[in-house]
Amino acid sequence: FKTDINPCGIVYNPLSVADTLELLLAGKRFSQADLLRNGELWVSLSHHGRFSAREAGDCLQRINSRLEKSVAHLKTTNVLVITWGTAWVYRHRQLGRVVANCHKFPATDFERFRLSPEDIEQVYTDLLSRLHSRYPDMRVLFTVSPIRHWKDGAHANQLSKAVLLLAIDKLKQRLDYVSYFPSYEIVLDELRDYRYYADDMLHPSPLAVRYLWERFSEAFFSAETKQVITAIEDITKDLSHKPFHPESEAYQRFLGQIVLK
């Protein structure tokens, strides 16, 4: 699949995801005025820490080259998948904006609060309407991350996820090009056994990820697409084979079969 993923790095909350899409719609280029100095690093409050750098120029190069790629890709995108993780956000007190990453700045620099379904619906009704106006053939698919944000406790995590689910439901009712894939519900209700979780008991295990992928494929892929996927998986498996005797005639025939596939 021709895909582009997380142009600002991993972003968890709906407002920061919306900000990322706004950057792409505007074709934004960052300058040093958009960065903050944090110890030895230059950082962007719109980006994951992997974009940070000791030199402002290096940070800007990483940010702008990545955004340029995504701006170009958005023009040919026919499915936009948006995943939200939490309704809790951090607003920078001085700048007055919700940030994607706090970058270990002092906690006193931020105000923490939980969004409401109405807050999210208002932002996304406008944003998605503008996206749809520019790219009328684009479909929008929402998911909610099954990863639990445990530091707030079990109840606060559930309230946060409920806000996200209610907001998506409102958007689905309002916009006919919006749909929802229940990855959150599949992990919680179908994969109750803890073998489907990683060692931290919060993230899905590789087995759970595979199960979700299979359910996603059943929901959205045509029979032809699934046949192509199976063929590619078969080739990938063959390519990962480590021969004991790479010079043997049998292995050369094996390589020939891969080329034919």
Side-chain angles (χ1 to χ4, degrees), residues 18-69:
D19 286 345
T20 299
L21 291 169
E22 293 284 9
L23 294 175
L24 300 183
L25 280 173
K28 163 82 173 176
R29 278 192 66 84
F30 276 63
S31 68
Q32 190 165 327
D34 298 307
L35 306 180
L36 293 178
R37 186 77 174 176
N38 187 14
E40 298 181 349
L41 297 175
W42 287 93
V43 303
S44 162
L45 295 179
S46 299
H47 289 77
H48 188 267
R50 65 185 175 87
F51 288 90
S52 304
R54 290 178 178 271
E55 300 294 333
D58 291 340
C59 182
L60 291 172
Q61 194 279 329
R62 292 174 188 176
I63 288 171
N64 288 324
S65 62
R66 189 65 186 83
L67 285 176
E68 285 172 9
K69 175 186 173 186

CSV table of all heavy atoms in Angstrom, one decimal, residues 18-69:
chain,number,residue,atom,x,y,z
A,18,ALA,N,-5.4,17.2,14.8
A,18,ALA,CA,-6.0,18.2,14.0
A,18,ALA,C,-5.0,19.3,13.5
A,18,ALA,O,-5.0,19.7,12.4
A,18,ALA,CB,-7.2,18.9,14.7
A,19,ASP,N,-4.1,19.7,14.5
A,19,ASP,CA,-3.1,20.6,14.1
A,19,ASP,C,-2.1,20.1,13.1
A,19,ASP,O,-1.7,20.8,12.2
A,19,ASP,CB,-2.3,20.9,15.4
A,19,ASP,CG,-3.0,21.8,16.4
A,19,ASP,OD1,-4.0,22.5,15.9
A,19,ASP,OD2,-2.6,21.9,17.5
A,20,THR,N,-1.8,18.8,13.1
A,20,THR,CA,-1.0,18.1,12.1
A,20,THR,C,-1.7,18.3,10.7
A,20,THR,O,-1.0,18.6,9.7
A,20,THR,CB,-0.8,16.7,12.4
A,20,THR,OG1,-0.1,16.6,13.7
A,20,THR,CG2,0.1,16.0,11.4
A,21,LEU,N,-2.9,18.0,10.7
A,21,LEU,CA,-3.7,18.1,9.4
A,21,LEU,C,-3.7,19.5,8.9
A,21,LEU,O,-3.6,19.8,7.7
A,21,LEU,CB,-5.1,17.5,9.5
A,21,LEU,CG,-5.1,16.0,9.7
A,21,LEU,CD1,-6.5,15.5,10.1
A,21,LEU,CD2,-4.7,15.3,8.5
A,22,GLU,N,-3.8,20.5,9.8
A,22,GLU,CA,-3.8,21.9,9.5
A,22,GLU,C,-2.5,22.3,8.8
A,22,GLU,O,-2.4,23.1,7.9
A,22,GLU,CB,-4.1,22.8,10.7
A,22,GLU,CG,-5.5,22.6,11.3
A,22,GLU,CD,-6.6,23.3,10.4
A,22,GLU,OE1,-6.3,23.8,9.3
A,22,GLU,OE2,-7.7,23.4,10.9
A,23,LEU,N,-1.4,21.7,9.4
A,23,LEU,CA,-0.1,22.0,8.8
A,23,LEU,C,0.0,21.5,7.4
A,23,LEU,O,0.6,22.2,6.5
A,23,LEU,CB,1.0,21.3,9.6
A,23,LEU,CG,1.2,21.8,11.1
A,23,LEU,CD1,2.3,20.9,11.8
A,23,LEU,CD2,1.7,23.2,11.1
A,24,LEU,N,-0.6,20.4,7.1
A,24,LEU,CA,-0.5,19.8,5.7
A,24,LEU,C,-1.4,20.6,4.8
A,24,LEU,O,-1.1,20.9,3.6
A,24,LEU,CB,-1.0,18.4,5.8
A,24,LEU,CG,-0.1,17.4,6.6
A,24,LEU,CD1,-0.6,16.0,6.5
A,24,LEU,CD2,1.3,17.5,6.3
A,25,LEU,N,-2.6,21.0,5.3
A,25,LEU,CA,-3.5,21.8,4.4
A,25,LEU,C,-2.9,23.2,4.1
A,25,LEU,O,-3.0,23.7,3.0
A,25,LEU,CB,-4.8,22.0,5.1
A,25,LEU,CG,-5.8,20.9,5.1
A,25,LEU,CD1,-7.0,21.2,6.0
A,25,LEU,CD2,-6.3,20.6,3.7
A,26,ALA,N,-2.2,23.8,5.0
A,26,ALA,CA,-1.6,25.1,4.8
A,26,ALA,C,-0.2,25.0,4.1
A,26,ALA,O,0.3,26.0,3.7
A,26,ALA,CB,-1.4,25.8,6.2
A,27,GLY,N,0.4,23.8,4.0
A,27,GLY,CA,1.7,23.7,3.4
A,27,GLY,C,2.7,24.4,4.2
A,27,GLY,O,3.7,25.0,3.7
A,28,LYS,N,2.6,24.3,5.5
A,28,LYS,CA,3.4,25.1,6.5
A,28,LYS,C,4.9,24.7,6.4
A,28,LYS,O,5.2,23.5,6.3
A,28,LYS,CB,2.9,24.8,7.9
A,28,LYS,CG,3.8,25.2,9.1
A,28,LYS,CD,3.8,26.6,9.4
A,28,LYS,CE,4.6,26.9,10.7
A,28,LYS,NZ,4.7,28.3,11.0
A,29,ARG,N,5.7,25.7,6.4
A,29,ARG,CA,7.2,25.5,6.6
A,29,ARG,C,7.6,26.2,7.9
A,29,ARG,O,7.3,27.3,8.2
A,29,ARG,CB,8.0,26.2,5.5
A,29,ARG,CG,8.1,25.3,4.2
A,29,ARG,CD,9.1,25.9,3.2
A,29,ARG,NE,10.4,25.7,3.8
A,29,ARG,CZ,11.2,24.6,3.7
A,29,ARG,NH1,10.7,23.5,3.2
A,29,ARG,NH2,12.4,24.6,4.2
A,30,PHE,N,8.3,25.4,8.8
A,30,PHE,CA,8.7,25.8,10.1
A,30,PHE,C,10.0,26.7,10.0
A,30,PHE,O,10.8,26.4,9.1
A,30,PHE,CB,9.0,24.6,11.0
A,30,PHE,CG,7.7,24.1,11.7
A,30,PHE,CD1,6.7,23.6,10.9
A,30,PHE,CD2,7.6,24.1,13.0
A,30,PHE,CE1,5.6,23.1,11.5
A,30,PHE,CE2,6.5,23.6,13.7
A,30,PHE,CZ,5.4,23.1,12.9
A,31,SER,N,10.1,27.7,10.8
A,31,SER,CA,11.3,28.5,11.0
A,31,SER,C,11.7,28.4,12.4
A,31,SER,O,11.1,27.8,13.3
A,31,SER,CB,11.0,30.0,10.6
A,31,SER,OG,10.1,30.5,11.6
A,32,GLN,N,12.9,29.0,12.7
A,32,GLN,CA,13.4,28.9,14.1
A,32,GLN,C,12.5,29.5,15.1
A,32,GLN,O,12.4,29.2,16.3
A,32,GLN,CB,14.8,29.6,14.2
A,32,GLN,CG,15.5,29.3,15.5
A,32,GLN,CD,17.0,29.7,15.4
A,32,GLN,OE1,17.6,29.5,14.4
A,32,GLN,NE2,17.5,30.1,16.5
A,33,ALA,N,11.6,30.5,14.6
A,33,ALA,CA,10.7,31.1,15.5
A,33,ALA,C,9.6,30.1,16.0
A,33,ALA,O,8.9,30.4,17.1
A,33,ALA,CB,10.0,32.3,14.8
A,34,ASP,N,9.4,29.0,15.3
A,34,ASP,CA,8.5,28.0,15.7
A,34,ASP,C,9.1,26.9,16.7
A,34,ASP,O,8.3,26.1,17.2
A,34,ASP,CB,8.0,27.2,14.5
A,34,ASP,CG,7.3,28.1,13.5
A,34,ASP,OD1,6.3,28.8,13.9
A,34,ASP,OD2,7.6,28.1,12.3
A,35,LEU,N,10.4,27.1,17.0
A,35,LEU,CA,11.0,26.1,17.9
A,35,LEU,C,11.3,26.7,19.2
A,35,LEU,O,11.3,27.9,19.4
A,35,LEU,CB,12.4,25.7,17.3
A,35,LEU,CG,12.4,25.1,15.8
A,35,LEU,CD1,13.8,24.8,15.4
A,35,LEU,CD2,11.4,23.9,15.7
A,36,LEU,N,11.5,25.8,20.2
A,36,LEU,CA,11.9,26.2,21.6
A,36,LEU,C,13.2,25.5,21.9
A,36,LEU,O,13.4,24.4,21.5
A,36,LEU,CB,10.8,25.8,22.6
A,36,LEU,CG,9.4,26.6,22.5
A,36,LEU,CD1,8.5,26.0,23.6
A,36,LEU,CD2,9.6,28.1,22.7
A,37,ARG,N,14.0,26.2,22.7
A,37,ARG,CA,15.2,25.6,23.2
A,37,ARG,C,14.9,24.9,24.6
A,37,ARG,O,14.3,25.5,25.5
A,37,ARG,CB,16.2,26.7,23.5
A,37,ARG,CG,17.6,26.2,23.9
A,37,ARG,CD,18.4,25.7,22.7
A,37,ARG,NE,19.8,25.3,23.0
A,37,ARG,CZ,20.6,24.8,22.2
A,37,ARG,NH1,20.2,24.5,21.0
A,37,ARG,NH2,21.8,24.5,22.6
A,38,ASN,N,15.3,23.6,24.6
A,38,ASN,CA,15.1,22.8,25.9
A,38,ASN,C,16.4,22.2,26.2
A,38,ASN,O,16.7,21.1,25.7
A,38,ASN,CB,14.0,21.8,25.7
A,38,ASN,CG,13.6,21.1,26.9
A,38,ASN,OD1,14.0,21.5,28.0
A,38,ASN,ND2,12.9,20.0,26.8
A,39,GLY,N,17.2,22.8,27.1
A,39,GLY,CA,18.5,22.3,27.4
A,39,GLY,C,19.4,22.4,26.2
A,39,GLY,O,19.6,23.4,25.7
A,40,GLU,N,19.9,21.2,25.8
A,40,GLU,CA,20.8,21.2,24.6
A,40,GLU,C,20.1,21.0,23.3
A,40,GLU,O,20.7,21.1,22.2
A,40,GLU,CB,21.8,20.0,24.8
A,40,GLU,CG,22.7,20.2,26.0
A,40,GLU,CD,23.7,19.0,26.1
A,40,GLU,OE1,23.5,18.0,25.3
A,40,GLU,OE2,24.6,19.1,26.9
A,41,LEU,N,18.8,20.9,23.3
A,41,LEU,CA,18.0,20.5,22.1
A,41,LEU,C,17.1,21.6,21.7
A,41,LEU,O,16.5,22.4,22.5
A,41,LEU,CB,17.2,19.3,22.4
A,41,LEU,CG,18.0,18.0,22.7
A,41,LEU,CD1,17.0,16.9,23.0
A,41,LEU,CD2,18.9,17.6,21.5
A,42,TRP,N,16.9,21.7,20.4
A,42,TRP,CA,15.8,22.5,19.8
A,42,TRP,C,14.6,21.6,19.6
A,42,TRP,O,14.8,20.5,19.0
A,42,TRP,CB,16.2,23.2,18.5
A,42,TRP,CG,17.2,24.3,18.7
A,42,TRP,CD1,18.6,24.2,18.7
A,42,TRP,CD2,16.9,25.7,18.9
A,42,TRP,NE1,19.1,25.5,18.9
A,42,TRP,CE2,18.1,26.4,19.1
A,42,TRP,CE3,15.7,26.4,19.1
A,42,TRP,CZ2,18.1,27.7,19.3
A,42,TRP,CZ3,15.7,27.7,19.3
A,42,TRP,CH2,16.9,28.4,19.4
A,43,VAL,N,13.4,22.0,20.0
A,43,VAL,CA,12.3,21.1,19.9
A,43,VAL,C,11.1,21.9,19.3
A,43,VAL,O,11.0,23.1,19.3
A,43,VAL,CB,11.9,20.6,21.3
A,43,VAL,CG1,13.0,19.8,21.9
A,43,VAL,CG2,11.4,21.7,22.2
A,44,SER,N,10.1,21.1,18.8
A,44,SER,CA,8.9,21.7,18.3
A,44,SER,C,7.7,21.1,19.2
A,44,SER,O,7.7,19.9,19.3
A,44,SER,CB,8.6,21.3,16.8
A,44,SER,OG,7.3,21.5,16.5
A,45,LEU,N,6.9,21.9,19.7
A,45,LEU,CA,5.7,21.5,20.5
A,45,LEU,C,4.7,20.8,19.6
A,45,LEU,O,3.8,20.2,20.2
A,45,LEU,CB,5.1,22.7,21.2
A,45,LEU,CG,6.0,23.3,22.3
A,45,LEU,CD1,5.3,24.5,22.9
A,45,LEU,CD2,6.5,22.4,23.3
A,46,SER,N,4.8,20.8,18.3
A,46,SER,CA,3.9,20.1,17.4
A,46,SER,C,4.4,18.7,17.0
A,46,SER,O,3.7,18.0,16.3
A,46,SER,CB,3.7,20.9,16.1
A,46,SER,OG,3.1,22.2,16.4
A,47,HIS,N,5.7,18.4,17.5
A,47,HIS,CA,6.3,17.2,17.0
A,47,HIS,C,6.8,16.3,18.1
A,47,HIS,O,7.1,16.7,19.2
A,47,HIS,CB,7.5,17.6,16.1
A,47,HIS,CG,7.1,18.1,14.8
A,47,HIS,ND1,6.7,19.4,14.7
A,47,HIS,CD2,7.1,17.6,13.5
A,47,HIS,CE1,6.4,19.7,13.4
A,47,HIS,NE2,6.7,18.6,12.7
A,48,HIS,N,6.9,15.0,17.7
A,48,HIS,CA,7.5,14.0,18.6
A,48,HIS,C,9.0,14.3,18.8
A,48,HIS,O,9.7,15.0,18.0
A,48,HIS,CB,7.4,12.6,17.9
A,48,HIS,CG,7.8,11.5,18.8
A,48,HIS,ND1,9.0,10.9,18.7
A,48,HIS,CD2,7.1,10.7,19.6
A,48,HIS,CE1,9.1,9.9,19.6
A,48,HIS,NE2,7.9,9.8,20.1
A,49,GLY,N,9.6,13.8,19.9
A,49,GLY,CA,11.0,14.0,20.2
A,49,GLY,C,12.0,13.6,19.2
A,49,GLY,O,13.1,14.1,19.2
A,50,ARG,N,11.6,12.7,18.3
A,50,ARG,CA,12.6,12.2,17.3
A,50,ARG,C,13.0,13.3,16.3
A,50,ARG,O,13.9,13.2,15.5
A,50,ARG,CB,12.1,11.0,16.6
A,50,ARG,CG,10.9,11.1,15.8
A,50,ARG,CD,10.5,9.7,15.2
A,50,ARG,NE,9.3,9.7,14.5
A,50,ARG,CZ,9.2,9.9,13.2
A,50,ARG,NH1,10.3,10.2,12.5
A,50,ARG,NH2,8.0,9.9,12.6
A,51,PHE,N,12.2,14.4,16.2
A,51,PHE,CA,12.5,15.5,15.4
A,51,PHE,C,13.5,16.5,16.0
A,51,PHE,O,14.0,17.4,15.3
A,51,PHE,CB,11.2,16.2,14.9
A,51,PHE,CG,10.4,15.5,14.0
A,51,PHE,CD1,9.4,14.6,14.4
A,51,PHE,CD2,10.6,15.6,12.6
A,51,PHE,CE1,8.6,13.9,13.5
A,51,PHE,CE2,9.8,14.9,11.7
A,51,PHE,CZ,8.8,14.0,12.2
A,52,SER,N,13.7,16.4,17.3
A,52,SER,CA,14.6,17.3,18.0
A,52,SER,C,16.0,17.2,17.6
A,52,SER,O,16.4,16.1,17.2
A,52,SER,CB,14.4,17.1,19.5
A,52,SER,OG,13.0,17.2,19.9
A,53,ALA,N,16.8,18.2,17.8
A,53,ALA,CA,18.2,18.2,17.4
A,53,ALA,C,19.0,19.3,18.2
A,53,ALA,O,18.4,20.2,18.7
A,53,ALA,CB,18.4,18.4,15.9
A,54,ARG,N,20.3,19.1,18.3
A,54,ARG,CA,21.2,20.0,18.9
A,54,ARG,C,21.2,21.3,18.2
A,54,ARG,O,21.4,22.4,18.8
A,54,ARG,CB,22.6,19.4,19.1
A,54,ARG,CG,22.6,18.3,20.1
A,54,ARG,CD,24.0,17.7,20.2
A,54,ARG,NE,24.1,16.7,21.2
A,54,ARG,CZ,24.4,16.9,22.5
A,54,ARG,NH1,24.6,18.1,22.9
A,54,ARG,NH2,24.5,15.9,23.3
A,55,GLU,N,21.2,21.3,16.8
A,55,GLU,CA,21.2,22.5,16.0
A,55,GLU,C,19.8,22.8,15.5
A,55,GLU,O,19.1,21.9,15.0
A,55,GLU,CB,22.2,22.3,14.9
A,55,GLU,CG,23.6,22.0,15.3
A,55,GLU,CD,24.3,23.1,16.0
A,55,GLU,OE1,23.9,24.3,15.7
A,55,GLU,OE2,25.2,22.9,16.8
A,56,ALA,N,19.4,24.0,15.5
A,56,ALA,CA,18.1,24.4,15.0
A,56,ALA,C,17.9,24.1,13.6
A,56,ALA,O,16.9,23.6,13.1
A,56,ALA,CB,17.9,25.9,15.2
A,57,GLY,N,19.0,24.2,12.8
A,57,GLY,CA,18.9,23.9,11.3
A,57,GLY,C,18.6,22.4,11.1
A,57,GLY,O,17.8,22.1,10.2
A,58,ASP,N,19.2,21.6,11.9
A,58,ASP,CA,19.0,20.1,11.7
A,58,ASP,C,17.5,19.8,12.1
A,58,ASP,O,16.9,19.0,11.4
A,58,ASP,CB,19.9,19.3,12.6
A,58,ASP,CG,21.4,19.4,12.2
A,58,ASP,OD1,21.6,19.7,11.0
A,58,ASP,OD2,22.3,19.1,13.0
A,59,CYS,N,17.0,20.4,13.2
A,59,CYS,CA,15.6,20.2,13.6
A,59,CYS,C,14.7,20.6,12.5
A,59,CYS,O,13.7,19.9,12.1
A,59,CYS,CB,15.4,21.0,14.9
A,59,CYS,SG,13.7,20.7,15.6
A,60,LEU,N,14.9,21.8,11.9
A,60,LEU,CA,14.1,22.4,10.9
A,60,LEU,C,14.1,21.5,9.6
A,60,LEU,O,13.1,21.3,8.9
A,60,LEU,CB,14.4,23.8,10.6
A,60,LEU,CG,14.1,24.8,11.7
A,60,LEU,CD1,14.8,26.2,11.3
A,60,LEU,CD2,12.6,24.9,11.9
A,61,GLN,N,15.3,21.0,9.3
A,61,GLN,CA,15.4,20.2,8.1
A,61,GLN,C,14.6,18.9,8.3
A,61,GLN,O,13.9,18.5,7.3
A,61,GLN,CB,16.9,19.8,7.9
A,61,GLN,CG,17.2,19.2,6.5
A,61,GLN,CD,16.9,17.7,6.4
A,61,GLN,OE1,17.0,17.0,7.4
A,61,GLN,NE2,16.5,17.3,5.2
A,62,ARG,N,14.7,18.3,9.4
A,62,ARG,CA,13.9,17.1,9.7
A,62,ARG,C,12.4,17.3,9.6
A,62,ARG,O,11.6,16.6,9.0
A,62,ARG,CB,14.2,16.5,11.1
A,62,ARG,CG,15.6,16.0,11.2
A,62,ARG,CD,15.9,15.6,12.7
A,62,ARG,NE,17.3,15.2,12.8
A,62,ARG,CZ,17.8,14.9,14.0
A,62,ARG,NH1,17.1,14.9,15.1
A,62,ARG,NH2,19.1,14.6,14.1
A,63,ILE,N,12.0,18.4,10.2
A,63,ILE,CA,10.5,18.8,10.2
A,63,ILE,C,10.0,19.1,8.8
A,63,ILE,O,9.0,18.6,8.4
A,63,ILE,CB,10.3,20.0,11.2
A,63,ILE,CG1,10.5,19.5,12.6
A,63,ILE,CG2,8.9,20.6,11.0
A,63,ILE,CD1,10.5,20.7,13.6
A,64,ASN,N,10.7,20.0,8.1
A,64,ASN,CA,10.2,20.5,6.9
A,64,ASN,C,10.3,19.5,5.7
A,64,ASN,O,9.4,19.4,4.9
A,64,ASN,CB,11.0,21.8,6.5
A,64,ASN,CG,10.6,23.0,7.3
A,64,ASN,OD1,9.4,23.1,7.7
A,64,ASN,ND2,11.5,23.8,7.7
A,65,SER,N,11.3,18.7,5.7
A,65,SER,CA,11.4,17.7,4.7
A,65,SER,C,10.3,16.6,4.9
A,65,SER,O,9.7,16.2,3.9
A,65,SER,CB,12.8,17.0,4.7
A,65,SER,OG,13.0,16.3,5.9
A,66,ARG,N,10.0,16.3,6.1
A,66,ARG,CA,8.9,15.4,6.4
A,66,ARG,C,7.6,15.9,6.0
A,66,ARG,O,6.7,15.2,5.5
A,66,ARG,CB,9.0,15.0,7.9
A,66,ARG,CG,8.1,13.8,8.3
A,66,ARG,CD,8.5,12.5,7.6
A,66,ARG,NE,7.5,11.5,7.8
A,66,ARG,CZ,6.4,11.3,7.1
A,66,ARG,NH1,6.1,12.1,6.1
A,66,ARG,NH2,5.6,10.3,7.4
A,67,LEU,N,7.3,17.2,6.4
A,67,LEU,CA,6.1,17.8,6.0
A,67,LEU,C,5.9,17.9,4.5
A,67,LEU,O,4.8,17.7,4.0
A,67,LEU,CB,6.0,19.2,6.7
A,67,LEU,CG,5.7,19.2,8.2
A,67,LEU,CD1,5.7,20.6,8.7
A,67,LEU,CD2,4.4,18.6,8.5
A,68,GLU,N,6.9,18.3,3.8
A,68,GLU,CA,6.8,18.4,2.4
A,68,GLU,C,6.4,17.1,1.7
A,68,GLU,O,5.6,17.0,0.8
A,68,GLU,CB,8.2,18.8,1.8
A,68,GLU,CG,8.6,20.2,2.0
A,68,GLU,CD,10.0,20.6,1.6
A,68,GLU,OE1,10.6,19.7,0.9
A,68,GLU,OE2,10.5,21.7,1.9
A,69,LYS,N,7.0,16.0,2.2
A,69,LYS,CA,6.6,14.6,1.7
A,69,LYS,C,5.1,14.4,2.0
A,69,LYS,O,4.4,13.9,1.1
A,69,LYS,CB,7.4,13.6,2.4
A,69,LYS,CG,7.0,12.1,2.0
A,69,LYS,CD,7.8,11.1,2.9
A,69,LYS,CE,7.3,9.7,2.6
A,69,LYS,NZ,7.9,8.7,3.5
